[in-house]
Amino acid sequence: ALGIKLNRIVLIGAWLVGWGATFVPMMKRILAKVLAAAMVLVIIAATAQLLIVIGYEMSPAEFPFLVDELETVLGQVLELLIAIEVLENITAYLKDHHIQVELVLATAITALARKIIVMPEPTAAVDKPLLVISLGVACLALCAAYWLVQRSRARIRSSSR
């Protein structure tokens, strides 16, 4: 009786492992596709918002063009580029089933560049130098990481030839 119970437990365990091996990747693919669809909607909405802002700023009542809203428009353009890069990350993951470090680093560098270009006003005058230094250090770290990934990929390519 004990042997039959153990066989049933082993069979149930094997079934659960097999089910998990197919269910988890399937759910990851479904979630990634839902996320990609959501990102497409975000990109469409951001593009529409950007076009509305530019159209409003180009109206004859708002002359000279984009003087006051230039930072806002640049910020929105860069946000749109970041959203497109995130969508590229998702589609690359769906195609290759692994995360592309180069693309993630490029997205992070773009996001950091947006933060630097459209720098928020610090709450205190003392915070501004610290903010600039921290953004500079983050920029150097991300660029160094990107350079290292590029360099390692170049070495791998040259050694495989």
Side-chain angles (χ1 to χ4, degrees):
L2 182 62
I4 293 173
K5 287 183 181 180
L6 286 176
N7 283 340
R8 285 183 183 169
I9 291 171
V10 168
L11 286 174
I12 291 171
W15 179 79
L16 285 174
V17 167
W19 177 78
T22 57
F23 179 74
V24 171
M26 180 183 67
M27 285 306 296
K28 282 172 57 177
R29 283 192 304 275
I30 289 171
L31 289 174
K33 288 179 182 178
V34 167
L35 187 58
M39 284 304 302
V40 167
L41 292 175
V42 167
I43 290 170
I44 290 170
T47 303
Q49 180 183 357
L50 177 65
L51 292 175
I52 289 169
V53 168
I54 290 174
Y56 175 75
E57 287 297 318
M58 290 180 71
S59 68
E62 296 292 326
F63 192 79
F65 174 63
L66 289 178
V67 171
D68 296 329
E69 296 289 324
L70 186 58
E71 281 186 19
T72 304
V73 171
L74 281 175
Q76 289 178 345
V77 168
L78 289 171
E79 284 174 0
L80 190 57
L81 288 175
I82 292 166
I84 291 170
E85 287 181 359
V86 169
L87 181 62
E88 280 185 41
N89 286 332
I90 295 168
T91 54
Y93 176 78
L94 284 174
K95 187 170 38 168
D96 300 335
H97 298 292
H98 68 276
I99 296 171
Q100 295 184 356
V101 178
E102 276 180 62
L103 201 51
V104 172
L105 287 171
T107 304
I109 290 169
T110 305
L112 187 60
R114 182 207 172 274
K115 188 74 168 176
I116 292 169
I117 291 170
V118 187
M119 188 171 302
E121 287 296 320
T123 55
V126 177
D127 294 341
K128 184 114 179 178
L130 186 60
L131 179 64
V132 171
I133 290 170
S134 62
L135 289 175
V137 169
C139 187
L140 286 174
L142 285 172
C143 290
Y146 188 82
W147 178 75
L148 286 172
V149 169
Q150 287 285 329
R151 186 173 174 195
S152 67
R153 287 190 189 233
R155 283 187 178 177
I156 290 170
R157 285 187 206 123
S158 67
S159 66
S160 65
R161 289 182 187 174

mmCIF file of all heavy atoms in Angstrom, residues 1 11 13 16-18 43 52 54 56 64 73 89 91 98-99 102 106-108 118 125 129 131 137 140 153:
data_model
loop_
_atom_site.group_PDB
_atom_site.id
_atom_site.type_symbol
_atom_site.label_atom_id
_atom_site.label_comp_id
_atom_site.label_asym_id
_atom_site.label_seq_id
_atom_site.Cartn_x
_atom_site.Cartn_y
_atom_site.Cartn_z
ATOM 1 N N ALA A 1 0.828 -1.187 0.000
ATOM 2 C CA ALA A 1 0.000 0.000 0.000
ATOM 3 C C ALA A 1 0.874 1.253 0.000
ATOM 4 O O ALA A 1 0.547 2.237 -0.649
ATOM 5 C CB ALA A 1 -0.921 0.000 1.211
ATOM 6 N N LEU A 11 4.006 10.289 -9.525
ATOM 7 C CA LEU A 11 3.295 10.623 -10.756
ATOM 8 C C LEU A 11 2.695 12.028 -10.685
ATOM 9 O O LEU A 11 2.770 12.804 -11.650
ATOM 10 C CB LEU A 11 2.184 9.596 -11.032
ATOM 11 C CG LEU A 11 2.656 8.232 -11.528
ATOM 12 C CD1 LEU A 11 1.479 7.266 -11.625
ATOM 13 C CD2 LEU A 11 3.335 8.368 -12.873
ATOM 14 N N GLY A 13 3.775 14.486 -8.787
ATOM 15 C CA GLY A 13 4.911 15.409 -8.825
ATOM 16 C C GLY A 13 5.434 15.589 -10.234
ATOM 17 O O GLY A 13 5.737 16.709 -10.653
ATOM 18 N N LEU A 16 3.005 17.766 -12.132
ATOM 19 C CA LEU A 16 3.122 19.169 -11.739
ATOM 20 C C LEU A 16 4.365 19.810 -12.344
ATOM 21 O O LEU A 16 4.321 20.952 -12.798
ATOM 22 C CB LEU A 16 3.151 19.310 -10.214
ATOM 23 C CG LEU A 16 1.814 19.126 -9.504
ATOM 24 C CD1 LEU A 16 2.012 19.133 -7.996
ATOM 25 C CD2 LEU A 16 0.837 20.204 -9.923
ATOM 26 N N VAL A 17 5.479 19.086 -12.366
ATOM 27 C CA VAL A 17 6.704 19.622 -12.958
ATOM 28 C C VAL A 17 6.512 19.843 -14.454
ATOM 29 O O VAL A 17 6.878 20.882 -14.995
ATOM 30 C CB VAL A 17 7.906 18.691 -12.673
ATOM 31 C CG1 VAL A 17 9.097 19.059 -13.531
ATOM 32 C CG2 VAL A 17 8.263 18.736 -11.205
ATOM 33 N N GLY A 18 5.898 18.896 -15.130
ATOM 34 C CA GLY A 18 5.636 19.046 -16.565
ATOM 35 C C GLY A 18 4.681 20.180 -16.846
ATOM 36 O O GLY A 18 4.865 20.973 -17.772
ATOM 37 N N ILE A 43 2.328 54.645 -26.381
ATOM 38 C CA ILE A 43 3.053 55.370 -27.433
ATOM 39 C C ILE A 43 2.079 56.151 -28.310
ATOM 40 O O ILE A 43 2.330 57.312 -28.655
ATOM 41 C CB ILE A 43 3.923 54.402 -28.265
ATOM 42 C CG1 ILE A 43 5.095 53.903 -27.412
ATOM 43 C CG2 ILE A 43 4.414 55.063 -29.552
ATOM 44 C CD1 ILE A 43 5.871 52.767 -28.028
ATOM 45 N N ILE A 52 -0.762 67.415 -30.221
ATOM 46 C CA ILE A 52 -1.696 68.444 -29.742
ATOM 47 C C ILE A 52 -0.931 69.633 -29.177
ATOM 48 O O ILE A 52 -1.248 70.792 -29.474
ATOM 49 C CB ILE A 52 -2.670 67.846 -28.709
ATOM 50 C CG1 ILE A 52 -3.653 66.906 -29.407
ATOM 51 C CG2 ILE A 52 -3.411 68.944 -27.954
ATOM 52 C CD1 ILE A 52 -4.486 66.072 -28.458
ATOM 53 N N ILE A 54 2.181 70.561 -29.856
ATOM 54 C CA ILE A 54 2.860 71.268 -30.948
ATOM 55 C C ILE A 54 1.851 72.057 -31.773
ATOM 56 O O ILE A 54 2.101 73.209 -32.146
ATOM 57 C CB ILE A 54 3.664 70.281 -31.824
ATOM 58 C CG1 ILE A 54 4.862 69.756 -31.038
ATOM 59 C CG2 ILE A 54 4.130 70.949 -33.111
ATOM 60 C CD1 ILE A 54 5.643 68.683 -31.748
ATOM 61 N N TYR A 56 -1.004 73.295 -30.767
ATOM 62 C CA TYR A 56 -1.438 74.438 -29.973
ATOM 63 C C TYR A 56 -0.383 75.531 -29.978
ATOM 64 O O TYR A 56 -0.695 76.715 -30.080
ATOM 65 C CB TYR A 56 -1.731 73.988 -28.545
ATOM 66 C CG TYR A 56 -2.067 75.120 -27.611
ATOM 67 C CD1 TYR A 56 -3.295 75.749 -27.664
ATOM 68 C CD2 TYR A 56 -1.128 75.573 -26.679
ATOM 69 C CE1 TYR A 56 -3.609 76.795 -26.823
ATOM 70 C CE2 TYR A 56 -1.427 76.628 -25.834
ATOM 71 C CZ TYR A 56 -2.664 77.232 -25.910
ATOM 72 O OH TYR A 56 -2.952 78.273 -25.086
ATOM 73 N N PRO A 64 5.959 84.001 -30.180
ATOM 74 C CA PRO A 64 6.839 83.130 -30.954
ATOM 75 C C PRO A 64 6.666 81.654 -30.570
ATOM 76 O O PRO A 64 6.329 81.332 -29.454
ATOM 77 C CB PRO A 64 8.234 83.617 -30.610
ATOM 78 C CG PRO A 64 8.107 84.250 -29.279
ATOM 79 C CD PRO A 64 6.704 84.772 -29.193
ATOM 80 N N VAL A 73 7.966 70.226 -24.565
ATOM 81 C CA VAL A 73 7.931 69.473 -25.820
ATOM 82 C C VAL A 73 9.141 68.542 -25.914
ATOM 83 O O VAL A 73 9.008 67.372 -26.294
ATOM 84 C CB VAL A 73 7.854 70.423 -27.031
ATOM 85 C CG1 VAL A 73 8.041 69.674 -28.335
ATOM 86 C CG2 VAL A 73 6.528 71.158 -27.026
ATOM 87 N N ASN A 89 12.519 46.652 -26.201
ATOM 88 C CA ASN A 89 12.984 45.679 -25.208
ATOM 89 C C ASN A 89 12.012 44.517 -25.094
ATOM 90 O O ASN A 89 12.423 43.347 -25.047
ATOM 91 C CB ASN A 89 13.150 46.337 -23.829
ATOM 92 C CG ASN A 89 14.357 47.222 -23.733
ATOM 93 O OD1 ASN A 89 15.353 47.016 -24.416
ATOM 94 N ND2 ASN A 89 14.280 48.223 -22.882
ATOM 95 N N THR A 91 9.674 43.497 -27.317
ATOM 96 C CA THR A 91 9.611 42.687 -28.537
ATOM 97 C C THR A 91 10.888 41.868 -28.726
ATOM 98 O O THR A 91 10.823 40.730 -29.201
ATOM 99 C CB THR A 91 9.352 43.560 -29.777
ATOM 100 O OG1 THR A 91 10.330 44.597 -29.837
ATOM 101 C CG2 THR A 91 7.965 44.162 -29.735
ATOM 102 N N HIS A 98 15.405 36.294 -24.151
ATOM 103 C CA HIS A 98 16.406 36.747 -23.185
ATOM 104 C C HIS A 98 16.506 38.270 -23.246
ATOM 105 O O HIS A 98 16.154 38.885 -24.246
ATOM 106 C CB HIS A 98 17.769 36.074 -23.398
ATOM 107 C CG HIS A 98 18.458 36.466 -24.663
ATOM 108 N ND1 HIS A 98 18.214 35.873 -25.876
ATOM 109 C CD2 HIS A 98 19.392 37.418 -24.893
ATOM 110 C CE1 HIS A 98 18.960 36.436 -26.797
ATOM 111 N NE2 HIS A 98 19.683 37.377 -26.241
ATOM 112 N N ILE A 99 16.957 38.835 -22.161
ATOM 113 C CA ILE A 99 17.027 40.284 -22.056
ATOM 114 C C ILE A 99 18.298 40.767 -22.748
ATOM 115 O O ILE A 99 19.385 40.247 -22.503
ATOM 116 C CB ILE A 99 17.013 40.724 -20.577
ATOM 117 C CG1 ILE A 99 15.692 40.319 -19.950
ATOM 118 C CG2 ILE A 99 17.242 42.216 -20.441
ATOM 119 C CD1 ILE A 99 15.636 40.507 -18.459
ATOM 120 N N GLU A 102 22.391 45.493 -23.928
ATOM 121 C CA GLU A 102 22.704 46.709 -24.689
ATOM 122 C C GLU A 102 21.476 47.605 -24.827
ATOM 123 O O GLU A 102 21.551 48.825 -24.635
ATOM 124 C CB GLU A 102 23.189 46.347 -26.094
ATOM 125 C CG GLU A 102 24.644 46.022 -26.196
ATOM 126 C CD GLU A 102 25.008 45.693 -27.624
ATOM 127 O OE1 GLU A 102 24.859 46.564 -28.501
ATOM 128 O OE2 GLU A 102 25.451 44.563 -27.856
ATOM 129 N N ALA A 106 20.899 51.287 -23.322
ATOM 130 C CA ALA A 106 20.592 52.418 -24.205
ATOM 131 C C ALA A 106 19.311 53.127 -23.749
ATOM 132 O O ALA A 106 19.236 54.361 -23.774
ATOM 133 C CB ALA A 106 20.447 51.932 -25.646
ATOM 134 N N THR A 107 18.326 52.354 -23.309
ATOM 135 C CA THR A 107 17.092 52.950 -22.789
ATOM 136 C C THR A 107 17.376 53.760 -21.532
ATOM 137 O O THR A 107 16.863 54.879 -21.360
ATOM 138 C CB THR A 107 16.057 51.853 -22.496
ATOM 139 O OG1 THR A 107 15.840 51.079 -23.675
ATOM 140 C CG2 THR A 107 14.742 52.445 -22.034
ATOM 141 N N ALA A 108 18.201 53.220 -20.646
ATOM 142 C CA ALA A 108 18.543 53.935 -19.406
ATOM 143 C C ALA A 108 19.325 55.209 -19.706
ATOM 144 O O ALA A 108 19.098 56.243 -19.061
ATOM 145 C CB ALA A 108 19.350 53.024 -18.485
ATOM 146 N N VAL A 118 15.786 68.051 -19.323
ATOM 147 C CA VAL A 118 14.609 68.666 -18.701
ATOM 148 C C VAL A 118 14.806 68.570 -17.195
ATOM 149 O O VAL A 118 14.046 67.910 -16.496
ATOM 150 C CB VAL A 118 13.317 67.968 -19.160
ATOM 151 C CG1 VAL A 118 12.093 68.707 -18.655
ATOM 152 C CG2 VAL A 118 13.268 67.845 -20.665
ATOM 153 N N ALA A 125 18.497 75.516 -3.135
ATOM 154 C CA ALA A 125 19.673 75.860 -3.946
ATOM 155 C C ALA A 125 20.840 74.939 -3.630
ATOM 156 O O ALA A 125 21.711 74.720 -4.463
ATOM 157 C CB ALA A 125 20.065 77.311 -3.714
ATOM 158 N N PRO A 129 23.839 71.404 -6.991
ATOM 159 C CA PRO A 129 25.140 70.778 -7.290
ATOM 160 C C PRO A 129 25.135 69.273 -7.036
ATOM 161 O O PRO A 129 25.702 68.510 -7.817
ATOM 162 C CB PRO A 129 26.113 71.486 -6.353
ATOM 163 C CG PRO A 129 25.456 72.773 -6.017
ATOM 164 C CD PRO A 129 23.990 72.501 -6.040
ATOM 165 N N LEU A 131 22.555 67.276 -7.265
ATOM 166 C CA LEU A 131 21.772 66.672 -8.335
ATOM 167 C C LEU A 131 22.597 66.552 -9.608
ATOM 168 O O LEU A 131 22.605 65.496 -10.259
ATOM 169 C CB LEU A 131 20.506 67.500 -8.597
ATOM 170 C CG LEU A 131 19.594 67.014 -9.701
ATOM 171 C CD1 LEU A 131 19.017 65.650 -9.374
ATOM 172 C CD2 LEU A 131 18.479 68.021 -9.941
ATOM 173 N N VAL A 137 27.511 61.241 -12.457
ATOM 174 C CA VAL A 137 28.062 59.932 -12.062
ATOM 175 C C VAL A 137 27.224 58.804 -12.659
ATOM 176 O O VAL A 137 27.762 57.816 -13.176
ATOM 177 C CB VAL A 137 28.152 59.817 -10.523
ATOM 178 C CG1 VAL A 137 28.458 58.401 -10.091
ATOM 179 C CG2 VAL A 137 29.202 60.779 -9.989
ATOM 180 N N LEU A 140 28.055 58.575 -16.378
ATOM 181 C CA LEU A 140 29.355 57.907 -16.578
ATOM 182 C C LEU A 140 29.244 56.404 -16.344
ATOM 183 O O LEU A 140 29.808 55.603 -17.099
ATOM 184 C CB LEU A 140 30.409 58.514 -15.651
ATOM 185 C CG LEU A 140 30.924 59.893 -16.037
ATOM 186 C CD1 LEU A 140 31.861 60.433 -14.950
ATOM 187 C CD2 LEU A 140 31.649 59.842 -17.376
ATOM 188 N N ARG A 153 31.283 42.127 -26.556
ATOM 189 C CA ARG A 153 30.652 41.525 -27.739
ATOM 190 C C ARG A 153 31.602 41.549 -28.942
ATOM 191 O O ARG A 153 31.637 40.618 -29.726
ATOM 192 C CB ARG A 153 29.358 42.238 -28.079
ATOM 193 C CG ARG A 153 28.280 41.910 -27.090
ATOM 194 C CD ARG A 153 26.942 42.409 -27.549
ATOM 195 N NE ARG A 153 26.017 42.238 -26.457
ATOM 196 C CZ ARG A 153 24.869 41.605 -26.573
ATOM 197 N NH1 ARG A 153 24.511 41.119 -27.713
ATOM 198 N NH2 ARG A 153 24.084 41.488 -25.542
#
